[in-house]
Amino acid sequence: MHELGIARNIVAIVCEHARGAKITRVTLEVGELSGVLPDAIAFCFPLVAAGTACADAVLDVHVVAGRSRCRTCGTDYAFPRLGVPCPCGSRDAIRLSGDELNVREIQLEAA
Ligand SMILES: [Zn+2]
């Protein structure tokens, strides 16, 4: 499962930032078009977090909606999956959001 590797990377990044502190919450941003399944990440996270500073962390996954801007008519429109055309029919568009896979916030236990 591809999400297992992603979860492992997230835990590694978060633990590195925490510099030994215990992590209580991790907030992720996952774009609709990133190809990453939020449920699969939520399932894998505790498995790879076990035994690390993330072991007791709560994982919050925020799904970021895909949006594009049409180069033909200038409209911003919802782009929940690849290949969705602008309401005007054009497929010539700039991706505005939806590719995200970011750690947005890390909360550490107060010392
Ligand atoms: Zn258009």
Side-chain angles (χ1 to χ4, degrees):
M1 197 192 299
H2 142 91
E3 278 77 7
L4 192 60
I6 294 169
R8 221 174 250 138
N9 284 339
I10 292 164
V11 168
I13 291 166
V14 168
C15 288
E16 194 186 312
H17 278 272
R19 297 168 195 269
K22 207 174 146 196
I23 296 127
T24 54
R25 183 178 291 269
V26 176
T27 307
L28 279 190
E29 277 181 342
V30 177
E32 257 181 347
L33 300 158
S34 65
V36 176
L37 301 173
D39 288 352
I41 287 283
F43 176 78
C44 293
F45 183 81
L47 303 180
V48 297
T52 74
C54 282
D56 297 321
V58 174
L59 182 71
D60 266 342
V61 181
H62 288 261
V63 176
V64 180
R67 293 198 68 79
S68 285
R69 177 168 299 152
C70 179
R71 275 196 246 251
T72 304
C73 71
T75 302
D76 288 358
Y77 62 99
F79 193 73
R81 61 188 184 281
L82 297 178
V84 176
C86 173
C88 81
S90 171
R91 287 174 197 274
D92 183 13
I94 305 163
R95 187 85 54 80
L96 299 176
S97 64
D99 288 326
E100 295 80 355
L101 179 57
N102 300 319
V103 177
R104 193 171 75 183
E105 210 183 318
I106 302 169
Q107 259 174 43
L108 303 178
E109 193 174 63

